[in-house]
Amino acid sequence: MTANSDSIIFHQYDISPFSEKVRVIFGIKGLEWFACDQPVIMPKPDLVALTGGYRKIPVMQIGADIYCDTQVIIRELERRFPSPSIYTGGDNGAGWGFSMWSDRVFFQAGVAIIFGGGTPIADEAFIKDREKLTGRPFDISAMKAAAPLMAEQFRAQLGWLDEQLADGRDFLMGDAPGLADAGACYNLAFVRWTSPAGVKLIEGFPKVAAWEKRVAAIGHGKRQEISRDAALDIAKAATSTEAAKADPGEPNGLTPGDKVIVMADDYGRDPIAGELVSSSAQHVAIRRNDPRVGDVVVHFPRAGFLVVKS
């Protein structure tokens, strides 16, 4: 199979925990997709050509539509491929709140355990890159000191998962895997890849460990590979399918055609400038141009991102 403008092109790298979350969704939905591997650290010129400055992984590309952040990526996958649904237990809204907890509170507890334990991925280049990304020191010594305390926090949150599984259910919301499972399990995968001490915490909860194996057994769908140049060529030849649409409930009066800047509200706050195409309570899409890819429309979630007129 050769990739085209309808193909899912997934800009990722294999040890990216947030990429793992989406890969589980690919598996749940049985999707075919193309992995476009990007560098772990900057520079990432091919990615930035698509996004306009957003540098975090993963990013999904379908033709000339570029989706930044797992929240908007998974929403778009559910819109395009609604069966089987990621909402398996009435969690259409609550699942996103669960994901915000997993992406921030649960994830940060895992990060402290991983990097406080001296993982070899934290070399000097990685540390300098993450300091630029976060805008603050990436202090391994402080993480090492905090690791025992954060182990308590990580264990407490594993306990919540264990309580959810206590009735014998196979997955967090019932008999079928969905958004909640993908949103929680990638943190365990990240710990297993990098932290023997964290693995011991996971194994202390047999129900959680068994659930983790069931999620892993789902797989990642049908993966193929694509080069960065080929992905960019597809974007340049394609036209975005996003139609201009005003949101009557838009709280700050944004309308299609406005010049805006979008940025994350936590870290990696690189400003991405463009022309507003559409917005809603859950997304914002902006059009921008790059010499390498031409006109593209870049999509972001609203929760966790800031949008201001420029």
Side-chain angles (χ1 to χ4, degrees):
M1 178 179 175
T2 301
N4 57 43
S5 61
D6 294 322
S7 300
I8 299 168
I9 299 173
F10 192 54
H11 299 266
Q12 59 119 59
Y13 52 85
D14 284 344
I15 63 167
S16 159
F18 291 101
S19 295
E20 178 66 8
K21 184 207 299 192
V22 179
R23 292 189 295 252
V24 171
I25 297 294
F26 291 151
I28 290 170
K29 291 185 173 293
L31 296 176
E32 296 183 353
W33 57 284
F34 289 81
C36 185
D37 283 343
Q38 294 287 344
V40 175
I41 63 175
M42 292 290 271
K44 303 179 184 181
D46 301 309
L47 185 71
V48 169
L50 290 169
T51 66
Y54 183 86
R55 53 154 295 180
K56 293 194 280 187
I57 291 293
V59 168
M60 183 175 74
Q61 171 192 346
I62 301 180
D65 285 288
I66 315 301
Y67 300 88
C68 300
D69 189 271
T70 59
Q71 186 184 160
V72 78
I73 290 170
I74 294 171
R75 281 187 177 276
E76 183 63 17
L77 290 173
E78 179 73 3
R79 186 187 74 82
R80 290 177 183 250
F81 309 101
S83 181
S85 177
I86 59 171
Y87 306 123
T88 59
D91 56 334
N92 301 50
W96 296 108
F98 180 96
S99 293
M100 190 66 76
W101 157 75
S102 181
D103 288 355
R104 299 199 175 195
V105 179
F106 197 20
F107 176 71
Q108 289 301 327
V111 164
I113 295 169
I114 290 164
F115 292 99
T119 174
I121 67 174
D123 60 15
E124 183 177 357
F126 181 91
I127 290 169
K128 289 181 177 179
D129 178 79
R130 289 317 190 251
E131 287 182 337
K132 291 179 180 178
L133 175 65
T134 61
R136 59 180 181 271
F138 196 84
D139 191 336
I140 297 296
S141 296
M143 290 184 190
K144 185 175 181 179
L149 301 177
M150 296 310 293
E152 296 176 2
Q153 299 301 309
F154 192 75
R155 182 172 177 267
Q157 291 163 75
L158 289 172
W160 289 343
L161 298 178
D162 193 68
E163 291 173 8
Q164 183 72 4
L165 296 163
D167 61 0
R169 64 184 64 195
D170 284 340
F171 298 100
L172 290 178
M173 298 305 296
D175 295 332
L179 176 61
D181 301 282
C185 204
Y186 78 88
N187 283 304
L188 279 64
F190 193 31
V191 165
R192 283 197 182 274
W193 297 336
T194 53
S195 173
V199 171
K200 289 182 180 179
L201 293 173
I202 296 169
E203 296 296 338
F205 294 92
K207 290 185 178 64
V208 172
W211 157 78
E212 180 191 15
K213 289 179 181 177
R214 287 192 290 272
V215 175
I218 295 166
H220 293 156
K222 185 178 179 181
R223 170 177 173 163
Q224 300 183 71
E225 309 295 323
I226 189 171
S227 70
R228 296 173 208 158
D229 279 342
L232 268 58
D233 288 344
I234 287 172
K236 189 165 188 175
T239 300
S240 169
T241 62
E242 185 72 12
K245 184 177 180 181
D247 175 10
E250 178 60 53
N252 294 312
L254 298 174
T255 58
D258 285 347
K259 303 296 184 182
V260 298
I261 291 173
V262 182
M263 67 182 74
D265 71 358
D266 52 358
Y267 61 91
R269 300 183 66 174
D270 304 276
I272 299 94
E275 178 184 296
L276 185 72
V277 177
S278 63
S279 64
S280 71
Q282 302 300 339
H283 94 285
V284 59
I286 63 173
R287 178 175 289 107
R288 53 171 304 278
N289 180 276
D290 182 274
R292 177 65 180 86
V293 298
D295 285 339
V296 294
V297 172
V298 189
H299 304 249
F300 301 91
R302 294 303 284 269
F305 282 76
L306 309 174
V307 186
V308 295
K309 289 185 178 181
S310 61

